[in-house]
Amino acid sequence: MTIDELVLLLKASQATGLTTLQELILRSSWEGQTYANIASEAHYGEERVKKIAAHLWQVLSNFYKEPIDKSNFRQTLENHPQSVAHQQLIKEFNRAATATSLEFPSGPVSLNSRFYIPRPPIEELAYAEMAEPGSVICIKAPKKMGKSSLVLRLLARANKQGFRSVTLDFQQADKAVFASLDKFLHWFCANVSRELQLETKLNDYWDENMGSKVSCSIYFQKYLLAALSSPLVLVLNEVDWVFEYQEIAREFLPLVRSWHEQAKREEIWQKLRLVLVYSTEILVPIKLTRSPFNIGLTINLPSFTKEQVQDLAQRHGLDWTDGKDADSLMAMVGGNPYLVRLALYHLVGKGGLKGDLGQLLQQAPTEAGIYNQCLRQYVIALRDEPELGDAFYEVINTTNYVKLEPRLAYKLQSIGLINLEGDVYDGLRLRSTPACELYRLYFQQYLKKSEHFNNTHVERLKQENQQLSVLSSLDELT
Protein backbone atom coordinates (compact mmCIF):
# COMPACT_ATOMS: atom_id res chain seq x y z
CA MET A 1 0.00 0.00 0.00
CA THR A 2 1.25 3.47 -0.85
CA ILE A 3 0.66 6.59 1.21
CA ASP A 4 -1.67 7.87 -1.55
CA GLU A 5 -3.81 4.73 -1.26
CA LEU A 6 -3.88 4.98 2.54
CA VAL A 7 -4.93 8.65 2.48
CA LEU A 8 -7.66 7.84 -0.04
CA LEU A 9 -8.89 4.93 2.09
CA LEU A 10 -9.12 7.09 5.22
CA LYS A 11 -10.96 9.83 3.32
CA ALA A 12 -13.41 7.21 2.08
CA SER A 13 -13.90 5.41 5.39
CA GLN A 14 -14.00 8.23 7.94
CA ALA A 15 -17.27 10.14 8.29
CA THR A 16 -15.43 13.45 8.64
CA GLY A 17 -12.78 12.61 6.02
CA LEU A 18 -9.30 14.04 6.63
CA THR A 19 -8.33 17.63 7.37
CA THR A 20 -5.39 19.21 5.57
CA LEU A 21 -3.32 19.01 8.75
CA GLN A 22 -4.17 15.35 9.31
CA GLU A 23 -3.13 14.49 5.76
CA LEU A 24 0.11 16.45 6.17
CA ILE A 25 0.91 14.55 9.39
CA LEU A 26 0.29 11.21 7.68
CA ARG A 27 2.38 12.01 4.61
CA SER A 28 5.23 13.58 6.58
CA SER A 29 5.31 10.74 9.11
CA TRP A 30 5.43 8.27 6.22
CA GLU A 31 8.59 10.07 5.07
CA GLY A 32 10.10 9.89 8.55
CA GLN A 33 9.87 13.57 9.48
CA THR A 34 9.81 14.57 13.14
CA TYR A 35 6.87 16.25 14.84
CA ALA A 36 8.99 19.39 15.17
CA ASN A 37 9.53 19.54 11.39
CA ILE A 38 5.86 18.89 10.70
CA ALA A 39 4.82 21.63 13.14
CA SER A 40 7.24 24.07 11.55
CA GLU A 41 5.97 23.36 8.05
CA ALA A 42 2.31 23.53 9.06
CA HIS A 43 2.79 26.63 11.25
CA TYR A 44 1.18 24.91 14.23
CA GLY A 45 2.44 24.26 17.72
CA GLU A 46 4.29 20.96 18.19
CA GLU A 47 1.96 19.86 21.01
CA ARG A 48 -1.09 20.29 18.80
CA VAL A 49 0.54 18.26 16.04
CA LYS A 50 1.35 15.49 18.52
CA LYS A 51 -2.22 15.48 19.83
CA ILE A 52 -3.71 15.18 16.33
CA ALA A 53 -1.16 12.52 15.41
CA ALA A 54 -2.04 10.48 18.51
CA HIS A 55 -5.68 10.51 17.40
CA LEU A 56 -4.66 9.36 13.91
CA TRP A 57 -2.62 6.45 15.28
CA GLN A 58 -5.63 5.39 17.35
CA VAL A 59 -7.91 5.58 14.30
CA LEU A 60 -5.49 3.45 12.30
CA SER A 61 -5.06 0.97 15.15
CA ASN A 62 -8.83 0.54 15.40
CA PHE A 63 -9.19 0.36 11.63
CA TYR A 64 -6.56 -2.36 11.16
CA LYS A 65 -7.05 -3.98 14.57
CA GLU A 66 -3.36 -3.87 15.44
CA PRO A 67 -1.22 -1.34 17.32
CA ILE A 68 0.06 1.44 15.03
CA ASP A 69 2.10 4.49 16.01
CA LYS A 70 4.59 6.81 14.39
CA SER A 71 7.50 4.42 14.84
CA ASN A 72 5.92 1.47 12.98
CA PHE A 73 3.41 3.35 10.79
CA ARG A 74 5.05 2.87 7.37
CA GLN A 75 6.61 -0.48 8.13
CA THR A 76 3.24 -1.92 9.17
CA LEU A 77 1.12 -0.59 6.32
CA GLU A 78 3.47 -0.45 3.32
CA ASN A 79 3.06 -4.15 2.58
CA HIS A 80 -0.52 -4.35 3.87
CA PRO A 81 -2.84 -5.51 1.06
CA GLN A 82 -6.19 -3.81 0.54
CA SER A 83 -9.20 -5.97 1.34
CA VAL A 84 -12.15 -6.28 -1.05
CA ALA A 85 -14.23 -4.20 1.37
CA HIS A 86 -11.63 -1.43 1.38
CA GLN A 87 -11.46 -1.46 -2.42
CA GLN A 88 -15.24 -1.07 -2.53
CA LEU A 89 -15.07 1.88 -0.13
CA ILE A 90 -12.54 3.63 -2.34
CA LYS A 91 -14.60 2.86 -5.45
CA GLU A 92 -17.72 4.46 -3.99
CA PHE A 93 -15.73 7.43 -2.72
CA ASN A 94 -14.16 7.97 -6.14
CA ARG A 95 -17.53 7.74 -7.85
CA ALA A 96 -18.99 10.42 -5.59
CA ALA A 97 -15.91 12.63 -5.67
CA THR A 98 -15.56 12.47 -9.46
CA ALA A 99 -19.00 13.99 -9.93
CA THR A 100 -17.78 17.21 -8.31
CA SER A 101 -14.05 17.26 -9.05
CA LEU A 102 -13.62 16.12 -12.65
CA GLU A 103 -10.64 17.89 -14.26
CA PHE A 104 -10.03 18.35 -17.97
CA PRO A 105 -6.51 17.06 -18.69
CA SER A 106 -4.58 20.15 -19.70
CA GLY A 107 -1.07 21.06 -18.56
CA PRO A 108 0.61 19.65 -15.44
CA VAL A 109 -1.51 17.66 -13.00
CA SER A 110 -1.96 19.99 -10.02
CA LEU A 111 -0.45 19.11 -6.65
CA ASN A 112 -3.83 18.59 -4.98
CA SER A 113 -5.31 16.60 -7.87
CA ARG A 114 -6.79 13.16 -7.25
CA PHE A 115 -5.75 12.17 -10.75
CA TYR A 116 -1.97 12.19 -10.40
CA ILE A 117 -0.70 8.61 -10.76
CA PRO A 118 2.71 8.05 -9.12
CA ARG A 119 5.18 5.89 -11.01
CA PRO A 120 7.26 4.32 -8.23
CA PRO A 121 10.11 4.39 -7.58
CA ILE A 122 10.62 7.46 -9.81
CA GLU A 123 9.28 10.12 -7.45
CA GLU A 124 11.15 8.88 -4.39
CA LEU A 125 14.40 8.50 -6.35
CA ALA A 126 14.06 12.05 -7.67
CA TYR A 127 13.35 13.48 -4.21
CA ALA A 128 16.35 11.67 -2.76
CA GLU A 129 18.67 12.81 -5.56
CA MET A 130 17.55 16.43 -5.26
CA ALA A 131 18.55 16.38 -1.59
CA GLU A 132 22.13 15.48 -2.54
CA PRO A 133 24.65 18.39 -2.74
CA GLY A 134 25.52 19.36 -6.32
CA SER A 135 23.09 16.83 -7.79
CA VAL A 136 21.85 16.56 -11.38
CA ILE A 137 18.52 15.03 -12.44
CA CYS A 138 17.82 14.44 -16.15
CA ILE A 139 14.14 13.88 -17.00
CA LYS A 140 13.54 12.61 -20.52
CA ALA A 141 10.23 11.68 -22.16
CA PRO A 142 8.18 12.58 -25.22
CA LYS A 143 5.63 15.38 -24.92
CA LYS A 144 2.51 14.80 -22.79
CA MET A 145 4.11 11.98 -20.80
CA GLY A 146 4.10 13.75 -17.41
CA LYS A 147 7.43 15.60 -17.24
CA SER A 148 5.84 18.87 -16.08
CA SER A 149 3.73 17.09 -13.47
CA LEU A 150 6.82 15.44 -12.00
CA VAL A 151 8.75 18.74 -12.03
CA LEU A 152 5.84 20.40 -10.22
CA ARG A 153 6.19 17.85 -7.43
CA LEU A 154 9.95 18.24 -7.31
CA LEU A 155 9.54 21.99 -6.87
CA ALA A 156 6.93 21.46 -4.15
CA ARG A 157 9.34 19.16 -2.32
CA ALA A 158 12.14 21.72 -2.75
CA ASN A 159 9.94 24.41 -1.23
CA LYS A 160 8.98 22.07 1.58
CA GLN A 161 12.67 21.55 2.39
CA GLY A 162 13.35 25.29 2.40
CA PHE A 163 15.20 25.32 -0.94
CA ARG A 164 15.02 28.18 -3.43
CA SER A 165 13.93 27.26 -6.94
CA VAL A 166 14.11 28.75 -10.43
CA THR A 167 12.58 27.37 -13.63
CA LEU A 168 13.85 28.52 -17.03
CA ASP A 169 11.99 27.48 -20.17
CA PHE A 170 14.27 27.77 -23.20
CA GLN A 171 11.38 27.88 -25.65
CA GLN A 172 10.47 31.28 -24.18
CA ALA A 173 13.78 32.74 -25.33
CA ASP A 174 13.73 34.90 -28.44
CA LYS A 175 15.58 33.54 -31.45
CA ALA A 176 18.01 36.45 -31.17
CA VAL A 177 19.15 35.10 -27.79
CA PHE A 178 20.76 32.15 -29.60
CA ALA A 179 22.78 34.41 -31.92
CA SER A 180 25.95 33.86 -29.89
CA LEU A 181 27.15 32.09 -26.75
CA ASP A 182 27.81 35.41 -25.01
CA LYS A 183 24.29 36.67 -25.67
CA PHE A 184 22.77 33.35 -24.59
CA LEU A 185 24.69 33.26 -21.29
CA HIS A 186 23.78 36.90 -20.60
CA TRP A 187 20.10 35.97 -21.06
CA PHE A 188 20.57 32.89 -18.90
CA CYS A 189 22.17 34.73 -15.97
CA ALA A 190 19.81 37.69 -16.17
CA ASN A 191 16.75 35.45 -15.97
CA VAL A 192 18.07 33.45 -13.02
CA SER A 193 18.77 36.75 -11.24
CA ARG A 194 15.26 37.98 -11.93
CA GLU A 195 13.65 34.76 -10.70
CA LEU A 196 15.67 35.00 -7.48
CA GLN A 197 14.61 38.64 -7.15
CA LEU A 198 18.23 39.74 -7.23
CA GLU A 199 19.56 42.77 -9.06
CA THR A 200 21.20 41.91 -12.37
CA LYS A 201 24.91 42.69 -12.05
CA LEU A 202 26.37 41.20 -15.22
CA ASN A 203 28.73 44.10 -15.87
CA ASP A 204 30.33 43.60 -12.44
CA TYR A 205 31.31 39.99 -13.15
CA TRP A 206 31.62 39.70 -16.95
CA ASP A 207 35.14 39.84 -18.36
CA GLU A 208 35.67 39.53 -22.12
CA ASN A 209 39.28 38.47 -21.58
CA MET A 210 38.20 35.44 -19.54
CA GLY A 211 35.38 34.53 -21.90
CA SER A 212 31.64 34.00 -21.52
CA LYS A 213 31.73 30.58 -19.85
CA VAL A 214 34.17 31.57 -17.12
CA SER A 215 32.28 34.84 -16.58
CA CYS A 216 29.00 32.94 -16.27
CA SER A 217 30.52 30.54 -13.71
CA ILE A 218 31.95 33.43 -11.70
CA TYR A 219 28.55 35.16 -11.75
CA PHE A 220 26.91 32.06 -10.31
CA GLN A 221 29.65 31.33 -7.76
CA LYS A 222 30.49 34.81 -6.53
CA TYR A 223 27.09 36.43 -6.81
CA LEU A 224 24.02 34.21 -7.19
CA LEU A 225 24.98 31.23 -5.00
CA ALA A 226 26.81 33.44 -2.53
CA ALA A 227 23.62 35.46 -2.00
CA LEU A 228 21.60 32.37 -1.03
CA SER A 229 21.52 30.81 2.42
CA SER A 230 19.84 27.63 1.13
CA PRO A 231 20.29 25.30 -1.87
CA LEU A 232 19.01 26.36 -5.29
CA VAL A 233 17.03 23.94 -7.48
CA LEU A 234 17.52 25.16 -11.06
CA VAL A 235 15.11 23.56 -13.53
CA LEU A 236 16.11 23.89 -17.19
CA ASN A 237 12.97 23.07 -19.16
CA GLU A 238 12.80 22.32 -22.91
CA VAL A 239 16.56 21.82 -23.18
CA ASP A 240 15.81 20.44 -26.67
CA TRP A 241 15.65 24.01 -27.90
CA VAL A 242 19.35 24.41 -27.13
CA PHE A 243 20.11 21.27 -29.18
CA GLU A 244 18.93 23.14 -32.27
CA TYR A 245 21.86 25.56 -31.94
CA GLN A 246 24.89 23.29 -32.12
CA GLU A 247 27.56 25.91 -31.41
CA ILE A 248 25.80 26.98 -28.21
CA ALA A 249 24.97 23.41 -27.18
CA ARG A 250 28.65 22.35 -27.55
CA GLU A 251 29.67 25.06 -25.08
CA PHE A 252 26.70 25.35 -22.70
CA LEU A 253 26.09 21.67 -21.94
CA PRO A 254 29.70 20.94 -20.87
CA LEU A 255 29.53 24.13 -18.77
CA VAL A 256 26.51 22.74 -16.91
CA ARG A 257 28.39 19.50 -16.29
CA SER A 258 31.42 21.40 -15.00
CA TRP A 259 29.29 22.97 -12.25
CA HIS A 260 28.32 19.51 -11.04
CA GLU A 261 31.99 18.47 -11.01
CA GLN A 262 33.03 21.63 -9.17
CA ALA A 263 30.63 20.67 -6.39
CA LYS A 264 33.01 17.83 -5.54
CA ARG A 265 35.77 20.34 -4.83
CA GLU A 266 34.10 23.59 -3.79
CA GLU A 267 31.39 23.73 -1.15
CA ILE A 268 29.51 26.69 -2.63
CA TRP A 269 28.67 24.71 -5.79
CA GLN A 270 27.00 22.07 -3.63
CA LYS A 271 24.13 24.53 -3.23
CA LEU A 272 23.21 24.06 -6.90
CA ARG A 273 20.81 21.23 -7.74
CA LEU A 274 20.18 20.94 -11.50
CA VAL A 275 17.10 19.44 -13.19
CA LEU A 276 17.35 19.07 -16.99
CA VAL A 277 14.05 18.38 -18.79
CA TYR A 278 14.00 17.35 -22.45
CA SER A 279 12.14 15.22 -24.98
CA THR A 280 14.74 13.82 -27.33
CA GLU A 281 18.28 12.55 -27.60
CA ILE A 282 21.00 15.08 -28.32
CA LEU A 283 22.67 14.66 -31.71
CA VAL A 284 25.26 17.40 -31.16
CA PRO A 285 28.71 15.75 -31.03
CA ILE A 286 29.84 16.01 -27.39
CA LYS A 287 32.31 13.71 -25.68
CA LEU A 288 30.76 11.49 -22.99
CA THR A 289 33.11 13.06 -20.44
CA ARG A 290 31.63 16.50 -21.19
CA SER A 291 27.92 15.65 -21.45
CA PRO A 292 25.58 16.44 -18.52
CA PHE A 293 23.18 13.66 -19.57
CA ASN A 294 25.25 10.72 -18.31
CA ILE A 295 25.75 11.92 -14.72
CA GLY A 296 23.49 12.02 -11.70
CA LEU A 297 20.02 10.48 -11.94
CA THR A 298 18.51 9.87 -15.38
CA ILE A 299 14.73 9.39 -15.47
CA ASN A 300 13.04 8.05 -18.59
CA LEU A 301 9.34 8.46 -17.85
CA PRO A 302 7.56 5.26 -18.89
CA SER A 303 4.03 4.79 -20.16
CA PHE A 304 1.34 3.77 -17.70
CA THR A 305 1.07 0.09 -16.90
CA LYS A 306 -2.28 -1.70 -17.04
CA GLU A 307 -2.50 -1.49 -13.25
CA GLN A 308 -1.94 2.28 -13.36
CA VAL A 309 -4.63 2.69 -16.03
CA GLN A 310 -7.02 0.73 -13.81
CA ASP A 311 -6.06 2.90 -10.84
CA LEU A 312 -6.77 6.07 -12.83
CA ALA A 313 -10.09 4.64 -14.02
CA GLN A 314 -11.03 3.89 -10.42
CA ARG A 315 -10.21 7.48 -9.45
CA HIS A 316 -12.68 8.53 -12.15
CA GLY A 317 -15.34 6.34 -10.56
CA LEU A 318 -15.17 3.55 -13.17
CA ASP A 319 -15.09 -0.13 -12.30
CA TRP A 320 -12.37 -1.59 -14.51
CA THR A 321 -11.20 -4.23 -12.06
CA ASP A 322 -11.67 -7.09 -14.54
CA GLY A 323 -9.08 -5.48 -16.80
CA LYS A 324 -11.04 -5.87 -20.07
CA ASP A 325 -11.76 -2.15 -20.53
CA ALA A 326 -8.19 -1.25 -19.64
CA ASP A 327 -6.96 -3.71 -22.27
CA SER A 328 -9.32 -2.24 -24.88
CA LEU A 329 -8.25 1.34 -24.23
CA MET A 330 -4.54 0.46 -24.15
CA ALA A 331 -4.87 -1.45 -27.41
CA MET A 332 -5.77 1.91 -28.98
CA VAL A 333 -3.63 4.46 -27.08
CA GLY A 334 -1.06 2.37 -25.23
CA GLY A 335 -0.15 3.73 -21.81
CA ASN A 336 0.15 7.37 -22.87
CA PRO A 337 -0.93 9.28 -19.73
CA TYR A 338 -2.58 12.15 -21.60
CA LEU A 339 -4.49 9.97 -24.08
CA VAL A 340 -5.66 7.64 -21.31
CA ARG A 341 -6.79 10.45 -19.07
CA LEU A 342 -8.60 12.28 -21.89
CA ALA A 343 -10.57 9.09 -22.63
CA LEU A 344 -11.55 8.68 -18.97
CA TYR A 345 -12.58 12.34 -18.74
CA HIS A 346 -14.95 11.93 -21.68
CA LEU A 347 -16.32 8.63 -20.41
CA VAL A 348 -17.53 10.13 -17.15
CA GLY A 349 -17.88 13.85 -17.98
CA LYS A 350 -21.12 15.68 -18.59
CA GLY A 351 -22.13 15.50 -22.20
CA GLY A 352 -19.65 12.71 -22.78
CA LEU A 353 -20.27 9.20 -24.06
CA LYS A 354 -21.78 8.02 -20.77
CA GLY A 355 -19.37 5.18 -20.29
CA ASP A 356 -19.59 3.84 -23.86
CA LEU A 357 -15.95 2.90 -24.32
CA GLY A 358 -16.72 0.99 -27.52
CA GLN A 359 -18.16 4.07 -29.20
CA LEU A 360 -15.25 6.22 -27.99
CA LEU A 361 -12.69 3.81 -29.43
CA GLN A 362 -14.58 3.46 -32.71
CA GLN A 363 -14.57 7.22 -33.21
CA ALA A 364 -11.05 7.77 -31.78
CA PRO A 365 -9.06 7.73 -35.07
CA THR A 366 -11.60 9.92 -36.91
CA GLU A 367 -12.32 13.63 -37.04
CA ALA A 368 -15.40 13.00 -34.89
CA GLY A 369 -13.30 11.46 -32.11
CA ILE A 370 -12.18 12.99 -28.84
CA TYR A 371 -8.54 13.12 -29.99
CA ASN A 372 -9.20 15.22 -33.09
CA GLN A 373 -7.67 18.42 -31.71
CA CYS A 374 -4.55 16.64 -30.49
CA LEU A 375 -4.17 14.79 -33.80
CA ARG A 376 -4.58 17.96 -35.84
CA GLN A 377 -1.63 19.48 -33.95
CA TYR A 378 0.46 16.57 -35.17
CA VAL A 379 -0.83 17.17 -38.69
CA ILE A 380 0.45 20.75 -38.54
CA ALA A 381 3.83 19.59 -37.22
CA LEU A 382 4.23 17.05 -40.03
CA ARG A 383 3.02 19.50 -42.67
CA ASP A 384 5.58 22.08 -41.50
CA GLU A 385 8.37 19.50 -41.83
CA PRO A 386 7.60 17.33 -44.90
CA GLU A 387 10.68 15.19 -44.27
CA LEU A 388 9.18 14.14 -40.93
CA GLY A 389 5.85 13.44 -42.60
CA ASP A 390 7.52 11.20 -45.18
CA ALA A 391 9.39 9.29 -42.47
CA PHE A 392 6.26 8.80 -40.37
CA TYR A 393 4.26 7.71 -43.43
CA GLU A 394 6.83 4.97 -43.91
CA VAL A 395 6.53 3.90 -40.24
CA ILE A 396 2.72 3.61 -40.17
CA ASN A 397 2.57 1.64 -43.42
CA THR A 398 5.01 -1.08 -42.38
CA THR A 399 3.83 -4.11 -40.43
CA ASN A 400 7.08 -4.70 -38.53
CA TYR A 401 9.43 -1.77 -37.98
CA VAL A 402 11.17 0.87 -40.08
CA LYS A 403 14.82 1.85 -39.93
CA LEU A 404 15.06 5.64 -39.70
CA GLU A 405 18.09 7.85 -39.51
CA PRO A 406 18.58 9.10 -35.91
CA ARG A 407 17.77 12.74 -36.66
CA LEU A 408 14.29 11.90 -37.93
CA ALA A 409 13.69 9.07 -35.47
CA TYR A 410 14.50 11.16 -32.40
CA LYS A 411 12.41 14.08 -33.68
CA LEU A 412 9.35 11.86 -34.18
CA GLN A 413 9.96 10.23 -30.80
CA SER A 414 10.23 13.59 -29.05
CA ILE A 415 6.79 14.68 -30.21
CA GLY A 416 5.41 11.29 -29.20
CA LEU A 417 4.54 9.76 -32.58
CA ILE A 418 6.88 6.76 -32.56
CA ASN A 419 8.59 4.34 -30.22
CA LEU A 420 12.18 3.28 -30.66
CA GLU A 421 12.83 -0.36 -29.95
CA GLY A 422 15.23 0.08 -27.06
CA ASP A 423 17.20 2.67 -29.06
CA VAL A 424 18.59 -0.28 -31.05
CA TYR A 425 20.97 0.83 -33.79
CA ASP A 426 20.97 -1.08 -37.06
CA GLY A 427 23.89 0.41 -38.90
CA LEU A 428 23.27 4.15 -38.72
CA ARG A 429 19.50 3.82 -38.36
CA LEU A 430 16.98 3.23 -35.55
CA ARG A 431 14.15 0.73 -35.44
CA SER A 432 10.91 2.69 -35.25
CA THR A 433 7.26 1.74 -34.69
CA PRO A 434 4.11 3.88 -34.19
CA ALA A 435 3.67 4.98 -30.59
CA CYS A 436 0.13 3.59 -30.57
CA GLU A 437 -2.57 2.19 -32.82
CA LEU A 438 -4.48 5.50 -32.71
CA TYR A 439 -1.70 7.24 -34.62
CA ARG A 440 -1.37 4.42 -37.14
CA LEU A 441 -5.10 4.37 -37.96
CA TYR A 442 -5.59 8.13 -38.06
CA PHE A 443 -2.56 8.98 -40.15
CA GLN A 444 -3.05 6.10 -42.58
CA GLN A 445 -6.39 7.68 -43.37
CA TYR A 446 -5.19 11.29 -43.23
CA LEU A 447 -2.07 10.79 -45.33
CA LYS A 448 -4.14 9.00 -47.98
CA LYS A 449 -6.45 12.01 -48.09
CA SER A 450 -3.46 14.33 -48.28
CA GLU A 451 -1.97 12.32 -51.11
CA HIS A 452 -5.27 12.47 -52.99
CA PHE A 453 -5.50 16.19 -52.32
CA ASN A 454 -1.96 16.74 -53.56
CA ASN A 455 -2.60 14.77 -56.76
CA THR A 456 -5.80 16.69 -57.41
CA HIS A 457 -4.00 19.94 -56.70
CA VAL A 458 -1.21 19.07 -59.13
CA GLU A 459 -3.70 18.18 -61.88
CA ARG A 460 -5.52 21.46 -61.35
CA LEU A 461 -2.24 23.38 -61.57
CA LYS A 462 -1.41 21.59 -64.84
CA GLN A 463 -4.79 22.58 -66.28
CA GLU A 464 -4.30 26.19 -65.16
CA ASN A 465 -0.82 26.26 -66.72
CA GLN A 466 -2.22 24.96 -70.03
CA GLN A 467 -4.91 27.65 -69.99
CA LEU A 468 -2.30 30.32 -69.24
CA SER A 469 -0.15 29.06 -72.13
CA VAL A 470 -3.08 29.37 -74.53
CA LEU A 471 -3.88 32.87 -73.26
CA SER A 472 -0.23 33.83 -73.57
CA SER A 473 -0.12 32.66 -77.17
CA LEU A 474 -3.29 34.60 -77.98
CA ASP A 475 -1.78 37.67 -76.36
CA GLU A 476 1.37 37.39 -78.49
CA LEU A 477 -0.72 37.03 -81.66
CA THR A 478 -2.81 40.03 -80.69
Side-chain angles (χ1 to χ4, degrees), residues 49-101:
V49 169
K50 287 181 177 179
K51 183 176 180 180
I52 294 173
H55 172 70
L56 283 172
W57 308 140
Q58 188 60 51
V59 168
L60 287 170
S61 298
N62 294 338
F63 193 78
Y64 286 102
K65 296 181 174 54
E66 57 182 298
I68 294 175
D69 56 28
K70 191 174 186 301
S71 64
N72 68 354
F73 168 48
R74 180 166 182 169
Q75 182 180 1
T76 302
L77 299 182
E78 194 164 24
N79 297 317
H80 206 293
Q82 284 190 0
S83 67
V84 174
H86 291 170
Q87 292 174 5
Q88 187 62 33
L89 273 173
I90 292 175
K91 190 185 302 180
E92 294 300 326
F93 176 78
N94 280 328
R95 186 174 291 118
T98 299
T100 58
S101 65

Side-chain angles (χ1 to χ4, degrees), residues 393-402 434 440 444:
Y393 180 81
E394 189 179 356
V395 172
I396 61 174
N397 284 289
T398 304
T399 55
N400 194 359
Y401 61 81
V402 173
R440 183 194 295 275
Q444 279 180 338

Side-chain angles (χ1 to χ4, degrees), residues 205-260:
Y205 294 89
W206 225 262
D207 188 327
E208 292 183 3
N209 295 322
M210 289 190 292
S212 299
K213 290 195 293 183
V214 173
S215 297
C216 178
S217 295
I218 291 174
Y219 189 79
F220 263 79
Q221 179 176 346
K222 302 294 185 180
Y223 179 48
L224 297 180
L225 295 177
L228 302 178
S229 58
S230 59
L232 168 64
V233 176
L234 178 56
V235 178
L236 305 182
N237 199 22
E238 299 287 352
V239 180
D240 313 71
W241 282 68
V242 180
F243 299 169
E244 298 292 326
Y245 301 89
Q246 292 198 11
E247 294 304 318
I248 291 176
R250 284 195 189 99
E251 301 294 339
F252 176 66
L253 297 176
L255 175 64
V256 169
R257 177 176 177 132
S258 74
W259 294 343
H260 166 73

